Amino acid sequence: MDVNLLSLSVRELREKLLSREVSVSDLHAAFLSRTEDTKHLNAFREVFDGLTEDIAIAQKSIDNDGEESPVLTGIPIAVKDNILIEGRIAGAASKILENYTAPYSATAIEKLQAQGALLVGRTNMDEFAMGGSGENSAYGVTRNPHDTSRVPGGSSSGSAAAVGGGVVPLALGSDTGGSIRQPAAFCGVVGFKPAYGSVSRHGLIAMGSSLDQIGPLARRVEDAELLFNVLRGADSRDATSRDVREGRSVEKTLGVPWHLFEGVDEDLLNRFKETIKVLEGLGYDVQEVELPHAKYGIEVYYIIMPAEASTNLARYDGIRFGLSHHGSTLLDGYLATRTEGFGKEVRRRILLGSYVLSSGYIDAYYYKADRLRALIRKEHESVLERVNAIVLPTTPTPAFNIGEKEDPVSMYLADIFTVNANLTGLPAISVPMGTLLRKDAHLPVGFQAMSLPGNELLLFSLGKDIEKNTL
Amino acid sequence: MDSGDVKALAALARLRVGPDEEESLLRDFNSVLAFVEEIKKVSVSDDIPLSDHRNVMREDGAPHASSLYTERLLGLAPKSQGTHVVVKKVIEHGR
């Protein structure tokens, strides 16, 4: 069996399924074989058992309906461990949810299933999506398929490693400050964070409710686009969701905030500049733009996100679900459950969030960050009246070594180019722009573009242009 | 921040912080705070308001058939009895 099947695009896989060259069962067997070959990556929390019936249903759909069968029929898709699939465990890579069986499916999952997708496993992640490396899971580090001594990025570490490692063609991730885009960049795959509200958060374990979005990781831009189109839409069960307005403009004008790139890895920046030249050659009009307060995005993010996360994680109390340690009193129970159940980074962020929200500090930190966030948003929107996309590197460096970033602040700074898309709610895509050679390893790096909501078509077509024209 | 602050926050967040962890937490904290405090120096003009949120509520009334999810949800509770989730005593008499 050709185990490179899982590196094909969804379109190519569908052709093989429809022509009967490959059966759904063959494809699933190839997937299982790939998971065995890549066990050392620790990309999966669980490879799902009991899919015989799902496989049979998918095959029947192909046999009976052929081209009329739903677009994702039989395609293996991996799901991040913080997205609920009814009847399956959703653990957010945390001990506190180790045996939590989801009582319902996320809207995103229902939509995938309606399109015939074969959900094959749940992927490892930084615990409760808190991390940018894949080192914060309660179930071990995930490794970068391009160099296993390096991080895959996070928090959608397993999803990125699984797609980048040719184990699945598609995976779901979530992005709160870069958690789809950064690991996508590190693992050499496409990652898309939809505009806030364009994909329902119903059934996504909440981290930062004003920041979170579910989105696709894929090997091809067209597959990320396909998955986004399946996922999108207003949902009555997520009051922050809305339908995507279509068709603003696909005029090929790009803005580059060069003033933000101080300290970026030299080779990475050169690769970014080469990519810009390629785009200019393809007829894109590239201008310099200024985003004066964008540099504060990280500080703003690391105030707002812990505040929201500490609030969202208050529900884990061992009473209604999850890990439960009964102490002699109710309070003891809370203390034991939460201290045992949450890892170090989670506890750190809960405490930080409590601090910035506490009286005496809330004005200086949280309210100030909230208003600075609005200013950052205003600046981005105003620039996007003159150009159709803002482009920049996805990350300041390629994937770093496992264990390298011990100091929390140095880890946080790696998010410098991704947080503003979450703070502003803008859709943003990361597309591979080749690799950099570091100590015998070819490390992928990513090119990022952000636009106004409604301009997603431009982001996808820009992504395809880069895809066609880079190594 | 000092260790008194960490203890007070831990109590609020319902977390236990041991003495060794307290030291490393304090160090990390102060490092993170020094970093995020930069925003104190940034001036934001008065015409940028605080976020305006509005609640979106569903219509009052039963959202679904009664007991649709009861069994499933009770199954998740660490301790249950009949159709009740069991919790530690909250109210004490005579105190």
Side-chain angles (χ1 to χ4, degrees):
Chain A
M1 184 49 57
D2 179 12
V3 293
N4 287 329
L5 274 179
L6 283 313
S7 295
L8 297 177
S9 72
V10 172
R11 183 163 21 135
E12 288 164 330
L13 280 174
R14 185 159 167 82
E15 273 166 27
K16 288 191 189 288
L17 286 168
L18 290 177
S19 70
R20 308 296 191 279
E21 184 186 330
V22 159
S23 70
V24 177
S25 181
D26 291 335
L27 192 48
H28 185 248
F31 157 74
L32 287 176
S33 172
R34 280 304 292 153
T35 61
E36 279 303 310
D37 293 342
T38 56
K39 255 195 152 86
H40 59 287
L41 297 180
N42 196 25
F44 282 87
R45 278 292 298 123
E46 181 188 354
V47 174
F48 293 153
D49 267 333
L51 291 181
T52 319
E53 202 185 316
D54 290 342
I55 291 169
I57 290 170
Q59 189 61 55
K60 200 148 173 237
S61 177
I62 301 262
D63 293 340
N64 292 351
D65 303 324
E67 306 237 342
E68 305 299 308
S69 63
V71 69
L72 291 174
T73 306
I75 303 293
I77 301 186
V79 177
K80 189 175 181 181
D81 194 26
N82 62 354
I83 298 171
L84 269 56
I85 302 172
E86 187 186 319
R88 299 272 185 196
I89 294 176
S94 177
K95 297 278 186 205
I96 215 167
L97 285 177
E98 191 162 71
N99 293 309
Y100 172 75
T101 304
Y104 65 95
S105 285
T107 301
I109 294 298
E110 287 177 346
K111 290 187 166 196
L112 285 187
Q113 289 172 328
Q115 293 304 319
L118 193 65
L119 303 178
V120 289
R122 55 190 173 105
T123 54
N124 204 7
M125 54 184 280
D126 284 309
E127 187 180 355
F128 280 105
M130 295 181 179
S133 66
E135 296 172 290
N136 290 340
S137 169
Y139 302 96
V141 171
T142 298
R143 294 174 182 276
N144 191 315
H146 298 269
D147 177 347
T148 54
S149 67
R150 291 180 188 261
V151 302
S155 62
S156 307
S157 35
S159 286
V163 178
V167 187
V168 283
L170 280 175
L172 281 191
S174 70
D175 190 311
T176 305
S179 289
I180 286 174
R181 294 161 286 149
Q182 182 248 38
F186 282 0
C187 291
V189 303
V190 178
F192 177 62
K193 182 201 81 70
Y196 182 77
S198 57
V199 174
S200 172
R201 291 180 299 109
H202 174 74
L204 169 67
I205 294 177
M207 187 229 201
S209 304
S210 77
L211 301 156
D212 295 339
Q213 272 292 283
I214 291 174
L217 291 100
R219 296 178 75 87
R220 308 284 198 290
V221 176
E222 68 178 22
D223 292 344
E225 185 177 14
L226 173 65
L227 200 54
F228 170 62
N229 284 325
V230 169
L231 296 173
R232 62 196 269 187
D235 178 17
S236 61
R237 294 168 296 181
D238 173 2
T240 62
S241 70
R242 70 198 84 116
D243 286 318
V244 181
R245 291 158 285 164
E246 288 276 23
R248 277 179 181 269
S249 165
V250 282
E251 235 181 78
K252 291 149 80 155
T253 56
L254 308 177
V256 187
W258 297 103
H259 68 99
L260 293 175
F261 300 167
E262 196 186 304
V264 171
D265 179 279
E266 202 185 318
D267 295 332
L268 198 158
L269 191 52
N270 284 334
R271 180 58 53 80
F272 176 78
K273 290 176 183 172
E274 285 162 19
T275 311
I276 291 287
K277 284 212 167 61
V278 167
L279 291 169
E280 282 175 318
L282 292 171
Y284 285 85
D285 168 34
V286 182
Q287 301 171 24
E288 183 166 0
V289 297
E290 300 250 317
L291 293 164
H293 290 83
K295 66 183 180 199
Y296 298 111
I298 281 272
E299 288 94 329
V300 169
Y301 176 74
Y302 277 98
I303 290 169
I304 292 179
M305 177 274 293
E308 293 188 2
S310 70
T311 306
N312 277 322
L313 268 58
R315 72 192 70 188
Y316 302 104
D317 56 13
I319 303 293
R320 290 157 298 151
F321 51 80
L323 182 74
S324 183
H325 285 311
H326 281 251
S328 53
T329 64
L330 192 64
L331 178 60
D332 277 343
Y334 290 152
L335 292 171
T337 299
R338 290 164 65 80
T339 309
E340 285 282 314
F342 288 141
K344 188 172 181 194
E345 182 62 26
V346 174
R347 283 179 280 129
R348 182 194 278 143
R349 293 200 195 184
I350 289 173
L351 290 170
L352 182 59
S354 308
Y355 182 72
V356 305
L357 288 174
S358 60
S359 84
Y361 299 108
I362 191 171
D363 282 301
Y365 290 107
Y366 184 74
Y367 290 148
K368 183 64 178 286
D370 181 76
R371 294 174 63 235
L372 193 42
R373 177 183 189 174
L375 179 55
I376 291 172
R377 183 178 186 143
K378 221 173 159 196
E379 282 175 5
H380 278 71
E381 286 172 352
S382 139
V383 163
L384 288 167
E385 273 164 32
R386 294 185 286 114
V387 294
N388 269 334
I390 294 168
V391 297
L392 64 177
T394 307
T395 60
T397 68
F400 42 89
N401 294 308
I402 291 169
E404 184 181 314
K405 293 197 189 286
E406 287 182 340
D407 165 44
V409 175
S410 75
M411 182 75 81
Y412 299 165
L413 284 170
D415 294 339
I416 201 158
F417 295 136
T418 48
V419 291
N420 284 324
N422 305 83
L423 291 173
T424 58
L426 300 175
I429 195 168
S430 176
V431 178
M433 55 174 184
T435 61
L436 303 177
L437 186 60
R438 291 283 151 92
K439 295 189 209 157
D440 301 330
H442 294 270
L443 301 180
V445 283
F447 185 98
Q448 188 183 197
M450 293 189 270
S451 71
L452 288 174
N455 257 359
E456 287 81 359
L457 273 178
L458 173 66
L459 295 182
F460 291 123
S461 82
L462 170 66
K464 287 168 192 168
D465 281 336
I466 292 171
E467 197 171 57
K468 278 190 289 235
N469 291 282
T470 56
L471 295 153
Chain B
M1 234 204 244
D2 62 40
S3 84
D5 294 322
V6 174
K7 287 192 175 73
L9 286 175
L12 282 175
R14 300 295 189 255
L15 293 171
R16 242 181 227 134
V17 177
D20 348 281
E21 222 207 330
E22 196 180 288
E23 205 187 300
S24 96
L25 253 180
L26 208 44
R27 212 182 17 240
D28 288 339
F29 246 72
N30 285 325
S31 157
V32 175
L33 281 177
F35 166 62
V36 300
E37 274 189 348
E38 287 296 301
I39 69 158
K40 283 182 177 172
K41 303 180 197 155
V42 184
S43 68
V44 179
S45 85
D46 288 335
D47 61 316
I48 307 269
L50 273 179
S51 292
D52 180 34
H53 300 291
R54 63 184 176 90
N55 287 323
V56 178
M57 315 278 254
R58 61 170 171 80
E59 287 301 309
D60 202 3
H64 54 71
S66 179
S67 333
L68 202 57
Y69 300 105
T70 306
E71 201 183 307
R72 225 180 300 187
L73 294 177
L74 278 175
L76 288 172
K79 243 182 176 185
S80 62
Q81 196 180 303
T83 54
H84 293 76
V85 174
V86 173
V87 299
K88 275 270 180 305
K89 199 192 304 199
V90 177
I91 300 166
E92 295 217 337
H93 295 287
R95 285 234 178 147

